[in-house]
Amino acid sequence: MTDDYDRYAHRKAVGGRYFKFYRSKAWRKVSYSYRLAHPLCERCQANGLYVQADVVDHIVPIRVDWSRRLDESNLQSLCNSCHWQKTKHEDPRASPSSYGG
């Protein structure tokens, strides 16, 4: 029981860092200005499609390299479909339902 609680406490503490970041003024400012400059999904655009972007995504996830969390060269605008495909590829355990989608 203690091991399960310790793992949960660790996940909550680590995840809390990321959730706090995504609610920060710095992230909201960077992601907003990035989406204004890149309003189309960059993956779709590379395939000749013009689809409105829904999210600003970190190319290298912040859990992999925290120092690049506000680096615009590590950002890309994606539609929800491309974002879910990328997320699923990065973490096969991920599914839209596990993120509230």
Side-chain angles (χ1 to χ4, degrees), residues 16-53:
R17 175 184 187 188
Y18 304 128
F19 293 131
K20 186 176 179 179
F21 166 71
Y22 283 117
R23 284 187 241 121
S24 74
K25 187 175 182 177
W27 170 248
R28 288 194 314 260
K29 184 178 175 181
V30 168
S31 63
Y32 177 78
S33 64
Y34 190 87
R35 270 218 15 237
L36 283 178
H38 304 91
L40 299 176
C41 174
E42 295 177 46
R43 285 194 172 182
C44 289
Q45 212 172 4
N47 291 313
L49 302 172
Y50 297 94
V51 178
Q52 181 178 344

Side-chain angles (χ1 to χ4, degrees), residues 14 17-18 22 58 60-66 69 86-87 89-93 99:
V14 171
R17 175 184 187 188
Y18 304 128
Y22 283 117
H58 288 94
V60 175
I62 62 174
R63 70 179 180 278
V64 173
D65 188 352
W66 177 254
R69 67 192 178 279
K86 179 181 180 274
T87 301
H89 178 74
E90 287 173 355
D91 183 358
R93 298 169 299 163
Y99 292 97

